[in-house]
C-alpha cells in the first residue's frame, strides 16, 4: 500500500507538472501569435515616415507613442502618433482657453496636406472631434490604422517610461500582450467605456512584479521616471521592433497567475491605490475611494479614474481569472480569453465586427484547445428585444449622428443585409433612448418666437404689439424711452420687429446691473469672492507660479488672494518668494506678486482686497516680508488699531488692502495642546509683521473653544473638514460661528489637477471666503467656477455680496415659485463649424443651485438643425420648467448649452446669475465660454423668467 501511495503521489505530481508546462506552452504560443507581423511593422514604419515628412513641412515633428512605441505592439493594433507642431508655421495661434478648437483646426490642416500624399492601404482620413481631437486613418476594412493627436507630450513621456520598463524586465511585454488580449475579449480594453487603458495595465503589472523578485524596484522605477521626460529624440519617434526572448514561458504564466491572484484579493473589492514609485511629495494627494486608483510615477495623478460600478465589474473579472488559474489550468486559454460579447449572440445574428472578433479569438486560442470547448455550454438563443439591446453600434459611429436617410445608399450598393440590419437597430436605439425628444427645423421660427413672446399682445397680422401693456404686465418694467419714438399704428402699438431687436440687445440681461451698494455691514456679514493658490497657472504639482495669475483673478472680481511665502535663499532667490511647497511648481518673487496685486486690485472694483498668507518664513524673512508690504502697498495697506474688537465694514475699507495671517497661538502650540480659557497666548509672528495683520488666523479646534476668542479672528477649513463639522454639529452651529468669525474654505489636497469642490454647502453654512482654484482643470469643466461667477455677479460684481438675515438669525426665509421658459437660441452661427458633420445638436441644462432642498437640474429636448446659418439654424425649444425655491438669497440660476455627441457632449456656452437679483420677463441670456469670456458671434438664449 505504501508503494501504491508513492506511485499515486508521483503520478499526480507529474500530471500537475505536465499541466503547468502545457499551460505555459499554450500561453507562450498565443503570445507569439499576438506579436505584430513583419509586414505590419513595415507598413507602420512607412506610414510614420510619410506623415513625418508632411508634419515637418508644416512645422514641427511627428512622434510615436502608445503600444507601437513602448514594446506592447500587437496584431491589429493601430499606431498612435502625436504632432508636436510649430503652430506659428501651421498658422494656428495657441489660445489656452480654446485649446481643443485650436488642435481641431491644426488636424484639419494636416488632413488637407495628407490627402495629397498617396498612402498605400489608407481608404479615408477624417478628424474626430472628441474630448481630445484626433486625426484617424482608416484601412480597406474600415479598421483604424493610425491616430494623430496634437502636442501629446504626456503620452510620449509615458511611452518612453514603458519602453524602459520592458527593457529592464524582459517578461513584461509578453505579459502585457496577453493582458491586453484578455481585456479586449472581456470588453475591458476601452478606457472610454469603463475598461483598462494599456498604461494602467502596465503600472498594475509592475506593481505585481514588485511584490516578488524583479529589477523594477520602486527606486528603479523612480529613477527611470526621472529619465523619461519627453525630449525630441530618435527614441521618442520610432516604432518598436525589438522582441526580447530571454525569458521563460513559465515566467509569463507565473506573472499572469500572480496578477489575477493579487487584484482578486478581498482587500481590492472596494478599490485601492496602486503606486509603483515612492511618492514625490510630502503631502498626501489621494484619498481612498471605492474604486481603483493607479498613480502615474511621472505626474502623481490617477490615470485610471474608474467609477465605482466600473471597478466592480473589473474586480469580478479578476476573480474569474484567479479561479481559472487555481482550479482549471487546462481551461485557462480557451476560457480566460473567451469573448464575453459572444456569449450572448448566436452565429446567425452576428454583426461583421462581431464575426471578426469571433474569428480572431478562435484563431488565437480556441482552435488549439478544441477538445475542451465543449466544457462551456452555449447560452440559449436571445429574444429579438435582447438582440436589439446587445447590437453593436460602434461599426460606424461617424455616420450615426442624426436620424437622416443614411440607409438608402447602403441598400443601393448592396453591402449586405446584416450591415443594414445593424445600422437600423443602432438608429432605433439612438432614437428611442438618447434623443427622446428631437426638434425639427421645419417650422417658421420667426412666427413661433413672436407668438410665444407677445401672445395676446400681438396683432392679428403678427406685425404690431401693444407694447405698453406688454412691458407693464410681462416685463414688469416701464416702456424704454428709445421705443417712444418708433413708428406706431395706434396709441400704444409698436412694430413687433423693433421690439424683438430691443429684446435681443446685450443689455437685456436676466439680472439687475447696478452699482454696488449696502457695504455698511461688518465683514463677517458678506460672502467674499475668494481664490486658492492664486499664483499658480495650472495644476497644483508641476505648474508655473506667476504674478500675472494674480492680476487676472483680481481683474475678474476676486477679492481674496492667497500667497504661500517661503525664504528665497532656499530656491536661489533674494528675499521672500512664493510657490506651492513640497511640489515641483516654480517660484516667483514675493515683491513681484505684491506689485501685480497693487496694480490690478482696483481696476474693476473699489472694494477691499484681502491678502492671505501661508507663512513659512524664518524670523528674518518675516521682517523682510513686512518691509515689502509697507514699501509696495504704501498707505493702501490697512494697519488695524491695537485692539480691534469688531469687524470694519467694506465701505470703510474701499481701495485698501487687508493682511490675513496667523496672529496668535497658545504658548504650548503642540497639536495635542488644548487652548482653554486659562492658556496663555503669544504672537505667532515677529512684531514688525504682527502689527500689520488685520485678520488674525487662529487654528479651529471646536465650537466651544472659539467662544473664548477675543477680537476679530478667522479660521481655515478644508472642504472635507467642513463636511465633517456640518455632519457632526449641524448647519446651525456653523452659521452661528460664521455670524461672528470669518471662515475660509479651501480645496482638499487630492485636487492636484486644480479641480474644485461644490461651493454650495459652504455658502449655505455662511462661510465668507469660499476659496476655489482659479486655474483650469484639464479633466473637468469648471462647474464650480461657473457657479462662483454667477453668485458674484450680484451687487454690481464688486466681489462682496451681503448674506441674508436668516443666516445671521433663526428667521426662516419665504418660499417662492420660479418658472423658466427656454424658448430658443440666437446667434447660433457662432457654432457653424463646431461639429464635424454639420451644425450642433443643441440642448440646454437649466440648473438651480443653492439650499440643498432647492438644487435641481432640468434638460430641454435636443434640437437638430439642417443648416448652419440663417433663421433655421437657430434652435427652438419652447419648454417651461417650474422650480420650488425655499431660499432666494442662496439660489443661483445657471443655464448651460451643450452639443450632443456620440462620445462626450461639447460645451456651447454657459451663464449663471443670483436669483435674488432676477429681472422677470423675457430676457437674453448670453452664452459665455468655459473660462467666462464673450464668444465670437455673441450667441445667447431667449428665456422668460417668472417669480411667484
Amino acid at each position: 500500500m505504501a508503494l501504491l501511495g508513492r506511485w499515486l503521489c508521483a503520478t499526480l505530481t507529474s500530471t500537475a507538472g505536465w499541466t503547468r508546462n502545457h499551460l505555459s506552452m499554450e500561453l507562450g504560443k498565443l503570445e507569439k501569435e499576438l506579436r505584430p507581423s513583419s509586414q505590419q511593422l513595415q507598413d507602420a514604419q512607412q506610414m510614420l515616415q510619410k506623415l513625418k515628412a508632411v508634419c515637418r513641412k508644416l512645422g514641427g515633428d511627428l512622434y510615436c507613442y502608445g503600444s507601437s512605441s513602448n514594446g506592447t505592439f500587437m496584431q491589429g493594433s493601430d499606431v498612435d502618433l502625436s504632432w508636436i507642431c510649430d503652430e506659428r508655421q501651421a498658422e494656428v495661434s495657441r489660445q489656452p482657453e480654446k485649446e481643443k478648437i485650436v488642435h481641431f483646426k491644426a488636424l484639419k490642416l494636416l488632413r488637407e496636406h495628407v490627402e495629397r500624399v498617396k498612402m498605400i492601404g489608407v481608404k479615408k482620413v477624417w478628424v474626430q472631434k472628441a474630448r481630445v481631437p484626433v486625426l484617424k486613418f482608416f484601412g480597406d476594412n474600415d479598421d483604424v490604422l493610425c491616430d494623430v493627436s496634437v502636442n501629446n507630450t504626456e503620452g510620449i513621456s509615458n511611452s518612453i517610461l514603458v519602453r524602459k520598463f520592458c527593457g529592464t524586465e524582459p517578461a513584461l511585454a509578453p505579459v502585457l500582450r496577453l493582458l491586453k488580449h484578455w481585456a479586449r475579449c472581456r470588453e475591458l480594453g476601452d478606457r472610454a467605456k469603463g475598461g483598462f487603458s494599456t498604461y494602467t495595465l502596465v503600472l498594475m503589472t509592475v506593481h505585481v512584479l514588485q511584490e516578488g523578485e524583479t529589477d523594477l524596484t520602486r527606486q528603479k522605477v523612480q529613477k527611470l521616471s526621472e529619465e523619461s521626460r519627453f525630449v525630441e529624440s530618435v527614441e521618442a519617434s520610432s516604432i518598436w521592433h525589438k522582441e526580447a526572448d530571454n525569458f521563460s514561458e513559465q515566467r509569463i504564466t507565473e506573472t499572469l497567475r500572480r496578477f489575477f491572484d493579487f487584484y482578486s484579493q478581498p482587500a481590492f473589492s472596494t478599490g485601492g491605490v496602486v503606486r509603483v514609485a515612492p511618492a514625490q511629495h510630502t503631502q498626501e494627494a489621494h484619498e481612498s475611494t471605492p474604486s481603483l486608483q493607479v498613480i502615474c510615477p511621472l505626474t502623481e495623478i490617477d490615470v485610471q479614474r474608474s467609477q465605482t460600478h466600473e471597478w466592480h465589474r473589473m474586480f469580478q473579472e479578476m476573480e474569474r481569472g484567479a479561479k481559472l488559474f487555481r482550479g482549471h489550468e487546462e481551461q485557462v486559454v480557451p476560457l480566460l480569453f473567451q469573448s464575453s460579447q459572444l456569449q450572448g449572440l448566436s452565429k446567425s445574428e452576428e454583426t461583421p465586427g462581431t464575426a471578426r472578433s469571433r474569428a480572431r479569438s478562435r484563431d488565437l486560442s480556441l482552435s488549439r484547445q478544441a477538445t475542451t470547448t465543449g466544457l462551456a455550454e452555449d447560452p440559449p438563443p436571445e429574444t429579438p428585444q435582447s438582440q436589439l439591446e446587445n447590437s453593436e453600434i460602434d461599426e460606424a459611429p461617424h455616420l450615426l449622428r442624426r436620424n437622416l436617410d443614411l440607409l438608402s445608399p447602403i441598400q443601393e450598393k448592396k453591402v449586405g443585409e446584416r450591415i443594414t440590419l445593424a445600422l437600423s437597430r443602432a438608429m432605433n436605439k439612438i432614437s428611442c433612448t438618447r434623443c427622446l425628444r428631437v426638434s425639427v427645423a421645419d417650422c417658421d421660427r420667426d412666427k413661433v418666437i413672436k407668438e410665444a413672446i407677445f401672445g395676446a399682445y400681438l396683432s392679428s397680422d403678427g406685425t404690431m404689439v401693444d407694447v405698453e401693456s406688454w412691458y407693464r404686465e410681462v416685463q414688469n418694467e416701464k416702456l424704454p424711452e428709445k421705443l417712444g419714438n418708433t413708428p406706431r399704428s395706434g396709441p400704444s402699438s409698436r412694430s413687433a420687429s423693433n421690439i424683438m431687436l430691443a429684446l435681443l440687445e446685450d443689455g437685456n440681461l436676466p439680472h439687475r446691473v447696478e452699482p454696488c451698494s449696502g457695504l455698511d455691514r461688518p465683514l463677517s456679514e458678506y460672502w467674499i469672492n475668494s481664490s486658492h493658490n492664486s499664483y499658480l497657472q495650472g495644476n497644483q504639482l508641476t505648474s508655473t507660479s506667476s504674478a500675472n495669475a494674480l492680476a487676472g483673478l483680481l481683474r475678474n472680481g476676486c477679492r481674496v488672494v492667497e500667497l504661500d511665502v517661503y525664504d528665497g535663499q532656499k530656491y536661489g532667490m533674494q528675499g521672500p518668494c512664493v510657490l506651492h511647497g513640497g511640489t515641483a511648481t516654480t517660484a516667483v518673487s514675493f515683491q513681484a506678486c505684491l506689485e501685480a496685486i497693487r496694480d490690478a486690485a482696483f481696476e474693476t472694483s473699489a472694494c477691499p482686497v484681502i491678502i492671505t498668507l501661508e507663512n513659512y518664513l524664518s524670523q528674518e524673512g518675516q521682517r523682510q516680508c513686512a518691509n515689502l508690504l509697507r514699501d509696495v502697498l504704501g498707505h493702501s495697506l490697512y494697519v488695524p488699531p491695537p485692539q480691534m474688537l469688531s469687524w470694519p465694514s467694506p465701505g470703510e475699507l474701499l481701495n485698501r488692502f487687508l493682511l490675513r495671517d496667523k496672529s496668535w497661538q497658545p504658548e504650548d502650540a503642540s497639536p495635542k495642546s488644548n487652548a482653554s480659557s486659562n492658556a496663555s497666548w503669544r504672537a505667532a509672528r515677529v512684531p514688525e509683521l504682527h502689527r500689520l495683520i488685520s485678520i488674525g488666523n487662529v487654528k479651529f479646534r471646536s465650537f466651544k473653544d472659539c467662544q473664548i476668542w477675543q477680537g476679530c479672528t478667522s479660521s481655515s477649513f478644508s472642504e472635507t473638514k467642513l463636511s465633517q463639522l456640518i455632519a457632526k454639529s449641524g448647519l446651525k452651529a456653523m452659521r452661528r460661528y460664521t455670524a461672528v468669525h470669518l471662515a475660509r474654505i479651501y480645496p482638499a489636497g487630492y485636487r492636484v489637477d486644480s479641480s474644485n469642490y461644490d461651493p454650495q454647502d459652504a455658502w449655505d453654512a455662511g462661510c465668507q471666503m469660499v476659496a476655489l482654484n482659479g486655474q483650469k482643470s484639464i479633466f473637468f469643466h469648471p462647474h464650480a467656477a461657473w457657479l462662483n461667477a454667477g453668485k458674484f455677479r450680484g451687487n454690481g460684481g464688486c466681489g462682496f455680496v451681503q448674506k441674508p438675515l436668516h443666516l445671521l438669525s433663526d428667521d426662516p426665509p419665504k418660499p417662492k415659485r420660479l418658472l423658466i421658459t427656454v424658448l430658443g437660441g440666437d446667434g447660433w452661427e457662432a457654432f457653424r463649424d463646431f461639429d464635424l458633420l454639420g451644425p450642433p445638436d443643441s440642448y440646454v441644462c437649466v440648473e438651480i443651485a443653492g439650499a440643498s432642498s432647492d438644487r435641481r437640474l432640468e434638460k430641454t429636448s435636443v434640437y437638430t438643425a439642417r443648416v448652419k446659418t440663417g433663421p433655421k439654424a437657430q434652435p427652438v425649444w419652447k419648454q417651461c420648467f417650474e422650480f420650488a425655491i425655499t431660499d432666494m438669497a442662496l439660489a443661483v440660476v445657471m443655464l448651460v448649452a451643450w452639443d450632443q455627441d456620440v462620445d462626450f457632449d461639447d460645451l456651447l456656452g454657459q451663464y449663471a446669475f443670483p436669483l435674488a437679483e432676477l429681472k422677470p420677463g423675457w430676457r437674453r441670456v448670453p452664452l459665455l465660454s468655459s473660462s467666462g469670456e464673450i464668444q465670437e458671434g455673441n450667441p445667447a438664449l431667449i428665456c422668460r423668467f417668472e417669480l411667484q
Side-chain angles (χ1 to χ4, degrees):
M1 291 298 293
L3 183 61
L4 178 60
R6 286 195 298 270
W7 177 82
L8 286 173
C9 182
T11 302
L12 291 174
T13 303
S14 61
T15 302
W18 178 88
T19 302
R20 285 192 293 271
N21 291 335
H22 183 68
L23 174 59
S24 299
M25 292 174 58
E26 290 298 318
L27 289 173
K29 185 177 180 181
L30 174 59
E31 189 277 326
K32 288 182 173 61
E33 292 180 4
L34 290 171
R35 293 183 183 182
S37 64
S38 58
Q39 184 63 44
Q40 182 181 356
L41 290 172
Q42 183 179 350
D43 293 343
Q45 192 65 40
Q46 289 177 355
M47 178 177 290
L48 174 62
Q49 295 304 322
K50 289 186 177 182
L51 292 176
K52 187 184 287 287
V54 176
C55 291
R56 287 176 175 174
K57 182 179 179 181
L58 291 174
D61 207 343
L62 198 66
Y63 295 87
C64 190
Y65 72 99
S67 62
S68 58
S69 171
N70 61 28
T72 63
F73 208 19
M74 295 172 58
Q75 282 193 28
S77 295
D78 59 341
V79 179
D80 295 313
L81 304 173
S82 182
W83 179 21
I84 309 299
C85 60
D86 182 350
E87 291 156 321
R88 291 173 298 176
Q89 296 183 30
E91 301 178 1
V92 180
S93 62
R94 174 171 291 279
Q95 305 177 48
E97 70 280 2
K98 298 181 180 179
E99 187 176 43
K100 177 179 176 180
I101 299 177
V102 171
H103 289 181
F104 180 69
K105 291 181 178 179
L107 291 175
K108 287 180 65 177
L109 178 65
L110 178 59
R111 184 188 65 180
E112 294 174 2
H113 286 75
V114 166
E115 288 176 342
R116 304 170 191 169
V117 180
K118 184 177 180 181
M119 302 184 71
I120 299 175
V122 177
K123 181 180 178 182
K124 58 183 176 182
V125 182
W126 63 283
V127 182
Q128 178 181 349
K129 189 176 182 181
R131 182 174 60 87
V132 178
V134 292
L135 180 65
K136 287 186 172 291
F137 293 77
F138 291 89
D140 294 331
N141 297 323
D142 285 338
D143 296 328
V144 179
L145 302 178
C146 177
D147 287 340
V148 181
S149 58
V150 178
N151 291 340
N152 188 1
T153 55
E154 182 177 342
I156 298 174
S157 297
N158 292 345
S159 297
I160 295 175
L161 179 61
V162 176
R163 181 191 286 244
K164 293 181 181 293
F165 286 168
C166 293
T168 305
E169 176 57 68
L172 180 60
V175 169
L176 288 172
R177 284 198 188 92
L178 292 170
L179 286 175
K180 287 173 63 177
H181 182 52
W182 161 77
R184 287 181 182 178
C185 293
R186 305 304 298 173
E187 294 186 337
L188 296 174
D190 189 345
R191 179 65 201 95
K193 297 180 180 179
F196 295 106
S197 67
T198 300
Y199 190 47
T200 296
L201 290 174
V202 171
L203 297 179
M204 291 174 68
T205 307
V206 171
H207 188 61
V208 171
L209 289 172
Q210 289 175 342
E211 297 296 317
E213 294 183 2
T214 181
D215 293 333
L216 285 174
T217 61
R218 293 167 67 86
Q219 289 71 25
K220 179 68 172 180
V221 169
Q222 184 178 23
K223 181 180 179 182
L224 294 177
S225 300
E226 295 170 355
E227 300 171 354
S228 299
R229 306 293 177 182
F230 167 65
V231 292
E232 299 180 359
S233 64
V234 176
E235 180 185 18
S237 61
S238 60
I239 301 288
W240 175 276
H241 62 277
K242 300 176 181 178
E243 293 296 343
D245 289 317
N246 55 335
F247 57 86
S248 65
E249 293 173 343
Q250 287 79 8
R251 174 74 164 168
I252 297 177
T253 306
E254 185 59 29
T255 303
L256 280 176
R257 186 197 311 276
R258 288 168 53 194
F259 180 90
F260 287 105
D261 282 343
F262 185 81
Y263 292 108
S264 63
Q265 298 178 78
F268 278 98
S269 62
T270 56
V273 178
V274 173
R275 188 186 292 273
V276 298
Q280 300 177 15
H281 311 289
T282 56
Q283 64 182 27
E284 185 62 30
H286 303 276
E287 295 184 357
S288 61
T289 59
S291 181
L292 184 70
Q293 297 185 55
V294 182
I295 309 303
C296 173
L298 294 172
T299 62
E300 287 286 297
I301 292 176
D302 176 20
V303 294
Q304 179 61 18
R305 300 190 297 279
S306 293
Q307 301 295 324
T308 302
H309 68 279
E310 294 173 348
W311 171 242
H312 285 169
R313 178 168 171 265
M314 297 175 190
F315 183 75
Q316 290 174 358
E317 291 293 338
M318 295 291 185
E319 289 184 317
R320 177 179 178 272
K323 289 179 181 178
L324 287 174
F325 271 101
R326 284 196 291 265
H328 307 279
E329 289 194 351
E330 71 281 358
Q331 303 176 39
V332 166
V333 173
L335 295 184
L336 183 66
F337 302 101
Q338 183 182 25
S339 174
S340 61
Q341 185 179 17
L342 298 181
Q343 295 174 3
L345 285 176
S346 62
K347 191 170 183 179
S348 61
E349 289 295 325
E350 290 177 357
T351 64
T354 307
R356 286 196 296 271
S357 298
R358 179 187 287 275
R360 188 182 304 117
S361 298
R362 181 177 62 250
D363 292 342
L364 295 181
S365 60
L366 298 183
S367 63
R368 297 188 305 279
Q369 291 288 334
T371 57
T372 62
T373 53
L375 297 175
E377 296 183 359
D378 290 334
E382 288 186 297
T383 64
Q385 179 63 27
S386 63
Q387 292 172 358
L388 174 62
E389 293 174 354
N390 291 328
S391 296
E392 289 189 348
I393 63 171
D394 293 331
E395 287 295 312
H398 53 291
L399 294 178
L400 305 181
R401 293 292 292 113
R402 286 174 193 85
N403 196 3
L404 305 178
D405 188 14
L406 299 178
L407 296 183
S408 55
I410 296 176
Q411 292 169 340
E412 290 172 2
K413 295 181 181 180
K414 298 180 180 180
V415 175
E417 294 181 359
R418 183 66 196 108
I419 297 180
T420 303
L421 178 61
L423 287 173
S424 178
R425 287 176 173 174
M427 287 185 177
N428 289 336
K429 186 172 182 179
I430 291 179
S431 299
C432 295
T433 58
R434 195 147 188 257
C435 307
L436 295 179
R437 295 174 293 176
V438 180
S439 304
V440 182
D442 287 336
C443 59
D444 186 344
R445 178 184 182 274
D446 292 341
K447 181 179 179 181
V448 172
I449 294 292
K450 288 180 180 178
E451 290 179 351
I453 292 177
F454 301 118
Y457 304 92
L458 190 66
S459 63
S460 58
D461 60 358
T463 59
M464 306 301 291
V465 178
D466 183 1
V467 66
E468 291 183 0
S469 300
W470 182 78
Y471 263 97
R472 182 179 61 255
E473 298 171 11
V474 176
Q475 297 293 88
N476 296 291
E477 58 189 12
K478 295 181 179 180
L479 178 67
E481 294 182 1
K482 61 182 178 181
L483 292 177
N485 299 324
T486 57
R488 65 182 71 183
S489 61
S492 64
S493 296
R494 301 292 189 279
S495 168
S497 299
N498 291 336
I499 306 301
M500 283 297 301
L501 290 176
L503 187 67
L504 295 177
E505 288 184 349
D506 295 349
N508 187 30
L509 293 171
H511 58 91
R512 296 190 296 271
V513 181
E514 300 173 351
C516 64
S517 60
L519 299 178
D520 56 349
R521 305 297 301 165
L523 280 176
S524 59
E525 297 186 14
Y526 292 86
W527 289 303
I528 310 173
N529 196 349
S530 308
S531 62
H532 171 251
N533 286 353
S534 316
Y535 50 89
L536 290 179
Q537 292 187 310
N539 67 67
Q540 305 291 308
L541 297 180
T542 61
S543 64
T544 303
S545 302
S546 171
N548 293 332
L550 293 159
L553 288 170
L554 291 168
R555 293 188 179 104
N556 286 332
C558 180
R559 297 291 91 186
V560 181
V561 294
E562 180 190 21
L563 302 177
D564 293 359
V565 191
Y566 291 81
D567 290 318
Q569 62 267 25
K570 297 180 181 179
Y571 302 94
M573 304 182 70
Q574 293 184 351
C577 66
V578 175
L579 77 157
H580 194 193
T583 69
T585 57
T586 61
V588 62
S589 165
F590 179 63
Q591 180 176 349
C593 292
L594 291 179
E595 291 172 351
I597 293 172
R598 176 198 63 195
D599 297 340
F602 308 114
E603 289 185 12
T604 57
S605 172
C607 287
V609 171
I610 299 173
I611 303 173
T612 181
L613 299 183
E614 284 289 331
N615 198 329
Y616 301 96
L617 293 167
S618 61
Q619 290 191 356
E620 179 58 30
Q622 293 178 31
R623 295 186 183 93
Q624 294 176 358
C625 175
N627 292 334
L628 285 172
L629 285 166
R630 286 186 177 275
D631 293 343
V632 176
L633 303 182
H635 295 294
S636 296
L637 178 64
Y638 176 74
V639 179
Q643 293 293 328
M644 191 171 71
L645 299 179
S646 61
W647 294 110
S649 68
E652 299 174 304
L653 300 170
L654 296 180
N655 297 307
R656 304 296 294 272
F657 297 100
L658 281 71
L659 184 64
R660 179 178 181 269
D661 195 359
K662 191 173 183 179
S663 56
W664 299 97
Q665 64 185 20
E667 288 289 352
D668 180 10
S670 62
K672 297 183 179 179
S673 64
N674 187 13
S676 64
S677 58
N678 298 324
S680 58
W681 294 72
R682 61 180 175 85
R685 303 291 180 240
V686 298
E688 295 89 339
L689 182 60
H690 179 78
R691 66 173 61 102
L692 301 181
I693 300 173
S694 51
I695 302 178
N697 199 34
V698 180
K699 183 176 179 62
F700 178 89
R701 299 180 185 274
S702 69
F703 289 115
K704 180 179 178 181
D705 289 341
C706 70
Q707 295 176 3
I708 67 172
W709 296 350
Q710 296 182 0
C712 302
T713 57
S714 70
S715 295
S716 295
F717 307 83
S718 70
E719 58 173 291
T720 52
K721 178 65 174 178
L722 177 66
S723 299
Q724 293 168 0
L725 277 175
I726 294 176
K728 180 180 178 180
S729 304
L731 195 62
K732 289 186 178 180
M734 195 67 194
R735 286 179 176 179
R736 286 193 294 269
Y737 171 83
T738 55
V740 180
H741 305 284
L742 295 186
R744 178 178 180 270
I745 314 302
Y746 58 90
Y750 63 80
R751 297 188 182 276
V752 295
D753 63 327
S754 294
S755 60
N756 277 308
Y757 56 97
D758 189 339
Q760 299 177 76
D761 289 336
W763 289 330
D764 197 6
C767 301
Q768 296 86 354
M769 295 178 283
V770 183
L772 300 178
N773 288 315
Q775 310 83 14
K776 181 179 179 182
S777 169
I778 63 173
F779 299 115
F780 307 101
H781 283 296
H783 181 271
W786 298 343
L787 280 180
N788 189 74
K791 187 170 190 65
F792 289 101
R793 284 193 174 95
N795 201 16
C798 68
F800 282 74
V801 175
Q802 189 171 344
K803 295 194 292 187
L805 291 177
H806 67 267
L807 291 187
L808 307 173
S809 62
D810 293 331
D811 296 334
K814 296 181 180 180
K816 297 284 186 178
R817 190 168 70 99
L818 175 66
L819 297 175
I820 299 179
T821 301
V822 181
L823 178 58
D826 181 62
W828 240 243
E829 289 85 358
F831 310 124
R832 59 183 178 272
D833 296 326
F834 201 81
D835 212 339
L836 179 66
L837 298 179
D841 303 320
S842 313
Y843 69 93
V844 178
C845 290
V846 183
E847 181 178 356
I848 300 297
S852 56
S853 59
D854 295 346
R855 297 170 196 172
R856 189 171 145 208
L857 177 70
E858 294 287 351
K859 295 181 181 180
T860 68
S861 60
V862 179
Y863 183 91
T864 300
R866 296 177 181 171
V867 295
K868 294 185 177 183
T869 58
K872 290 189 176 182
Q874 316 305 319
V876 178
W877 291 285
K878 199 177 178 181
Q879 292 180 241
C880 183
F881 306 101
E882 180 177 341
F883 301 92
I885 307 296
T886 61
D887 194 334
M888 280 275 294
L890 278 171
V892 176
V893 181
M894 183 160 67
L895 295 100
V896 186
W898 298 92
D899 167 29
Q900 187 184 71
D901 265 337
V902 294
D903 42 19
F904 298 98
D905 293 352
D906 298 319
L907 176 71
L908 297 178
Q910 54 81 25
Y911 195 78
F913 62 92
L915 183 58
E917 303 207 5
L918 174 71
K919 289 172 60 179
W922 288 99
R923 304 298 172 188
R924 181 185 185 276
V925 182
L927 290 177
L928 307 181
S929 67
S930 178
S931 56
E933 298 178 352
I934 297 176
Q935 302 190 77
E936 183 180 355
N938 201 8
L941 298 172
I942 304 173
C943 301
R944 183 182 183 182
F945 302 90
E946 301 172 81
L947 197 59
Q948 301 174 351

